[in-house]
Amino acid sequence: WRLMKPDEVVKEVLDAGLRGRGGGGFPTGKKWELALKQQSEQKYLICNADEGDPGAFMDRSLLECDPYRVIEGMMIASYAIGASVAYIYCRAEYPLAIERLLSSIKKCEEYGILGDNILQSGFSLHIKIKKGAGAFVCGEETALIASIEGKRGTPRPRPPFPAESGLWGKPTLINNVETLACIPFILNEGGDKFASIGKGKSTGTKLVSLDSFFNRPGIYEVDMGTPLDVVINNLGGGFKQKIKAMHIGGPLGGLVPVEKINDLTVDFESFAANGFLLGHASVVCIPEDFPIIKYLEHLFQFTA
């Protein structure tokens, strides 16, 4: 990718049809394109690792098990938009992820693939880590920016979008961990190859986390468009006890009754068409004997 021009890199991401994996589903290439167009001596990239959805641990798994994949995704994104400084905004509750990131960044610097004038290419990138203090709202990108700046993590109106005026008023690209982890595949195999996986406008694969109410809990990577029934029964091994609903997509996501399982596929369009939200694709089960009103009260308290 270092032999490609920035706009060629952005075109591959556009061709891939990659959409934000952090919950919003916004076309990643369009974000990159907007950030590339901005004229500024300083641009920033932020990797959003503030995984605040209860029951979600995809970002944690990627950072702990394959930090170099995420770092390479950050390098490609920074090169594509012209950023020389990048931040990883990571939950302080993920100490092992932070430890492995620090170690991986240090090794990259020792080998000369991070820092000033990387491999005599004229491209420089310094990656810093900012620990989030557990505020769920800081997963929202403008609140996250405020937090890095040392301010209270409060969302601000948009426009201007961060790609135009973000961190310290400079053009800033913000992508989720899982989104950035998709980038090396796209550049190595081509955007068209990535776009050939999935369904419709939901291309590529998606990580799904299943909680302890499943017989085989954990993280699964599935093609976009995979029937939800396959995820629950073939991969998760079905439920350990009677479940009446699944909370999918974090606190702002929908409560999916078990009778809707056969109507849904793991992609943005299917969930939206049925009035739900795929979001980050965390699955939290609600047992049949748990009062749904009590659960809703808890949700309102959490989001308040």
Side-chain angles (χ1 to χ4, degrees):
W1 54 266
R2 287 186 302 107
L3 302 177
M4 299 167 69
K5 293 176 182 176
D7 60 336
E8 292 173 335
V9 175
V10 171
K11 185 180 182 301
E12 287 296 333
V13 178
L14 283 167
D15 290 347
L18 174 64
R19 293 169 65 182
R21 297 301 196 242
F26 189 80
T28 303
K30 286 204 165 36
K31 262 190 178 182
W32 289 29
E33 196 173 41
L34 183 57
L36 172 61
K37 286 177 181 174
Q38 305 306 308
Q39 298 298 314
S40 178
E41 289 183 9
Q42 181 65 62
K43 293 182 184 180
Y44 295 100
L45 168 80
I46 299 174
C47 170
N48 186 348
D50 191 53
E51 190 169 45
D53 289 1
F57 43 97
M58 305 80 149
D59 294 351
R60 176 184 178 181
S61 178
L62 282 166
L63 294 174
E64 288 180 359
C65 302
D66 200 358
Y68 292 109
R69 184 185 184 93
V70 179
I71 289 169
E72 185 180 4
M74 292 178 69
M75 292 173 70
I76 294 167
S78 298
Y79 174 77
I81 69 160
S84 58
V85 178
Y87 285 86
I88 302 173
Y89 189 93
C90 187
R91 287 171 66 83
E93 295 91 337
Y94 288 175
L96 183 60
I98 290 169
E99 178 188 321
R100 290 190 172 162
L101 279 168
L102 287 168
S103 169
S104 303
I105 290 167
K106 186 180 178 184
K107 283 180 183 172
C108 288
E109 290 170 343
E110 287 170 358
Y111 280 96
I113 52 177
L114 273 180
D116 293 321
N117 193 22
I118 297 168
L119 303 176
Q120 287 74 52
S121 65
F123 168 58
S124 301
L125 180 64
H126 297 271
I127 297 180
K128 304 177 182 182
I129 293 177
K130 165 72 175 173
K131 294 181 187 177
F136 174 70
V137 73
C138 285
E140 192 281 327
E141 55 187 24
T142 60
L144 185 156
I145 287 170
S147 179
I148 293 176
E149 292 175 341
K151 302 169 187 170
R152 179 177 177 175
T154 305
R156 64 165 171 78
R158 294 173 290 181
F161 292 95
E164 300 163 306
S165 177
L167 192 60
W168 292 295
K170 303 295 183 184
T172 305
L173 174 65
I174 306 173
N175 285 141
N176 161 264
V177 171
E178 189 182 339
T179 308
L180 289 164
C182 292
I183 299 299
F185 176 91
I186 291 170
L187 269 292
N188 287 327
E189 304 291 333
D192 291 344
K193 180 75 177 285
F194 188 89
S196 71
I197 305 165
K199 177 185 175 185
K201 292 182 180 178
S202 296
T203 60
T205 63
K206 181 75 190 79
L207 295 178
V208 180
S209 65
L210 306 181
D211 73 0
S212 59
F213 282 99
F214 288 87
N215 284 305
R216 287 194 295 269
I219 296 177
Y220 295 89
E221 183 178 14
V222 299
D223 288 359
M224 282 284 200
T226 299
L228 186 59
D229 172 64
V230 170
V231 175
I232 289 167
N233 294 308
N234 296 26
L235 301 177
F239 304 115
K240 287 179 183 175
Q241 65 183 78
K242 286 194 173 179
I243 298 297
K244 60 181 167 189
M246 296 167 294
H247 193 178
I248 301 178
L252 305 179
L255 301 177
V256 180
V258 288
E259 55 266 27
K260 292 288 288 183
I261 289 172
N262 291 326
D263 298 340
L264 295 167
T265 54
V266 181
D267 57 84
F268 299 109
E269 286 73 30
S270 169
F271 270 71
N274 283 274
F276 303 118
L277 181 74
L278 178 63
H280 203 18
S282 55
V283 182
V284 175
C285 295
I286 302 168
E288 203 168 63
D289 59 357
F290 194 92
I292 207 76
I293 295 297
K294 191 175 175 184
Y295 188 77
L296 290 173
E297 286 175 346
H298 162 72
L299 274 185
F300 284 134
Q301 288 168 0
F302 182 89
T303 49

